[in-house]
Amino acid sequence: MSLRDIETRIAAATRAAGRPTGAVTLIAVSKVQPLERIRAVLEAGHRVFGENRVQEAEGKWPDFRAEFDGLGLHLVGPLQSNKLARALDLFDAIHSLDRDSLARRLAAAVQARGACPTLFVQVNTGREPQKAGLAPEALDAFLAACRGEYDLPVSGLMCIPPVDADPAPHFDMLRDMAARNGLEGLSMGMSDDFETAIACGATHVRIGSAIFGTRAAPV
C-alpha cells in the first residue's frame, strides 16, 4: 500500500500549483480490490472511496460503514437508470451524470427522498464513441436543464481523457467549461496523471492502482 506516498505527492502538487492545503480530495478507487486491501487503507485513516459498479459496492460497503465512521462513497463509473434507487442508498456522490433520461429520473428520486448526493456531470472531452459522457458542445444546455427543469444542484464536472493523449488539454477544457458555468468541482486525474490534473485545478482525483496495487481480475 502506498497511500502515504500518494498523499505526499498530492500535497506537493497542490503547493506547486499555488493552491491551499486541502484543496484536493483523494478518492481511493477500490473497484475490484480485495477486501483486505481496502481494510488496510481504512485502517490507515482514509475515508473517501470510489466504486465503478453499484452491485460491487453493495457487496462490501455496508459492512465497512458499520465498522468505520465518516465514510464517503463516490460512484465514479457509469450509472444505469434501473440501478438509480440502489445507488442513492449507497453513494454520497455521483460523478457520472451524463444524459437527460438519467437526470429526469434522478430529479424525481431526489424529490421523493428529500436529499441529493453531490453531483458531477461527466464530459466526454475526447469525444470517444466507446466512452460515457456528454459531448462538450452539449454541456451548457444540459446544465441549464439540470438547474432549471430538474432542479438538480450540480457541483462540478468529471472527465476521463483518452488513454494515449496528453491529458492537460482535456483538463484545461474541463476547467474552462466549469468556470463558464459557475461550477467549482473538477473530478479529474487518475494514477498516471493526477499531478497534471492538480496543476490544472482538480478538486477531486480518483486514484486506484497507485494506492492498492494492480486490481484483481473481475469475476
Side-chain angles (χ1 to χ4, degrees), residues 7-119:
E7 290 175 334
T8 298
R9 288 171 61 187
I10 288 173
T14 303
R15 287 193 301 271
R19 300 174 61 193
T21 300
V24 180
T25 297
L26 168 60
I27 301 170
V29 179
S30 49
K31 62 179 181 180
V32 202
Q33 290 292 347
L35 296 180
E36 62 269 20
R37 293 187 187 177
I38 300 172
R39 176 175 292 279
V41 174
L42 283 162
E43 290 177 346
H46 193 70
R47 290 294 181 268
V48 183
F49 291 82
E51 290 284 342
N52 265 43
R53 298 169 57 202
V54 173
Q55 185 172 349
E56 182 184 347
E58 286 175 325
K60 51 182 145 174
W61 286 103
D63 288 345
F64 280 139
R65 274 209 158 118
E67 184 175 355
F68 295 94
D69 292 333
L71 284 180
L73 194 59
H74 294 236
L75 179 65
V76 297
L79 176 57
Q80 297 172 315
S81 295
N82 63 357
K83 295 181 180 175
L84 177 58
R86 292 157 60 191
L88 292 176
D89 287 338
L90 275 172
F91 293 99
D92 304 288
I94 294 171
H95 291 238
S96 50
L97 178 59
D98 65 351
R99 60 195 183 278
D100 188 80
S101 61
L102 179 58
R104 185 183 306 112
R105 292 189 64 171
L106 178 61
V110 164
Q111 184 174 17
R113 288 169 178 256
C116 186
T118 301
L119 297 175

Side-chain angles (χ1 to χ4, degrees), residues 180-205:
R180 183 175 73 233
N181 285 283
L183 296 172
E184 295 184 357
L186 288 171
S187 173
M188 58 189 196
M190 296 187 287
S191 291
D192 293 334
D193 57 18
F194 68 88
E195 285 151 321
T196 300
I198 291 170
C200 294
T203 60
H204 295 71
V205 293

